[in-house]
Amino acid sequence: MGSHGIVLFAHGARDPRWAEPFERLAARLRAARGEPASSVSLAFLELMTPSLDTAVAAQVAAGCTRVTVVPVFFGQGGHIRRDLPQLVDACRAAHPGVEIRCATAVGEDDGVLDAIARYCLDQLDDGA
Amino acid sequence: MGSHGIVLFAHGARDPRWAEPFERLAARLRAARGEPASSVSLAFLELMTPSLDTAVAAQVAAGCTRVTVVPVFFGQGGHIRRDLPQLVDACRAAHPGVEIRCATAVGEDDGVLDAIARYCLDQLDDGA
């Protein structure tokens, strides 16, 4: 049985430093899973590479039979509601034997929101 | 002494539903702080309102003598490195008696990255 890949799907930006937190996140996930680096990868909607189809194809080539796409976006705007489903459908059509799922955007998760709220409160040095 | 306001600064998008997680985050912070709703507000770089200067002016009008701007961005791209400092400087010039600080983007925080990593792993239903 093949392995289960994760593709962290982000918006992309012109400034290459923008990708740093996503790379740190990928490194964290690779460490947590203890699997080959290829099973956790990044993909971008625009301005950065690889695209989603390239990232998914690389995971399939590395032996993944399941791929979960996690949108690292705060909100479910047009990119997530319209663009991403089309991109995921194209990946499914290209790899009919692979199960490709798509998660809800990370910013919709209560645990993530709690962590952001905690960070915001920490910025108020008087705790008020 | 006046109160300490938080402005959650986000990118903005055309789809109004994009703002929902930011509104949930603001509600969480208001509940945690037990202060007037005006002391936690949202501001957007583009495509949504209010702008940062409008949000800061409203907090100052409501009695805040300190305002902390928290960029709810994953990465420190051009918007955070170039655009935001200029916007914050303009706010400081407009309100010389108010201490206006700017935090690092939430996506740079280890606690936030940990929560996102946990969410990603939860999406793999076999835990692998």
Side-chain angles (χ1 to χ4, degrees):
Chain A
M1 182 184 154
S3 60
H4 190 161
I6 300 180
V7 177
L8 303 171
F9 180 71
H11 188 279
R14 280 183 187 80
D15 186 335
R17 290 169 296 187
W18 184 85
E20 285 166 11
F22 304 98
E23 285 157 4
R24 286 171 60 205
L25 177 60
R28 219 164 270 229
L29 287 169
R30 287 179 194 122
R33 301 185 72 202
E35 297 202 5
S38 60
S39 72
V40 180
S41 52
L42 304 183
F44 300 96
L45 177 67
E46 59 189 33
L47 302 171
M48 287 179 160
T49 56
S51 60
L52 186 66
D53 59 345
T54 300
V56 168
Q59 292 205 344
V60 172
C64 289
T65 52
R66 287 193 289 171
V67 176
T68 293
V69 179
V70 181
V72 189
F73 282 70
F74 290 107
Q76 306 268 58
H79 290 320
I80 302 298
R81 292 185 199 271
R82 281 191 313 270
D83 304 338
L84 181 55
Q86 291 179 14
L87 295 171
V88 170
D89 281 347
C91 291
R92 289 182 180 130
H95 307 286
V98 178
E99 183 191 344
I100 301 174
R101 289 187 300 182
C102 191
T104 305
V106 303
E108 304 279 333
D109 178 63
D110 278 331
V112 172
L113 282 181
D114 281 343
I116 297 173
R118 205 170 306 121
Y119 173 73
C120 291
L121 293 172
D122 286 348
Q123 303 313 302
L124 307 173
D125 61 6
D126 57 0
Chain B
M1 181 183 154
S3 60
H4 190 161
I6 300 179
V7 177
L8 303 172
F9 179 71
H11 188 281
R14 281 183 186 80
D15 185 334
R17 290 169 296 187
W18 185 85
E20 285 167 13
F22 304 97
E23 286 158 3
R24 285 170 60 204
L25 176 61
R28 219 166 271 227
L29 287 169
R30 288 180 193 123
R33 301 186 72 204
E35 294 204 5
S38 61
S39 70
V40 180
S41 53
L42 304 184
F44 301 95
L45 177 67
E46 60 187 32
L47 301 171
M48 286 179 162
T49 56
S51 61
L52 186 66
D53 60 344
T54 301
V56 169
Q59 292 204 345
V60 173
C64 290
T65 54
R66 287 193 290 171
V67 175
T68 293
V69 178
V70 180
V72 189
F73 282 70
F74 290 107
Q76 306 268 56
H79 290 318
I80 301 298
R81 291 186 200 268
R82 282 192 312 271
D83 303 338
L84 182 55
Q86 292 179 14
L87 294 171
V88 170
D89 282 346
C91 291
R92 289 182 181 128
H95 308 285
V98 178
E99 182 192 346
I100 301 175
R101 290 187 299 182
C102 192
T104 306
V106 304
E108 305 279 333
D109 179 63
D110 278 332
V112 172
L113 282 182
D114 281 343
I116 296 173
R118 205 170 307 123
Y119 172 73
C120 291
L121 293 173
D122 286 347
Q123 302 314 303
L124 308 173
D125 60 7
D126 58 1

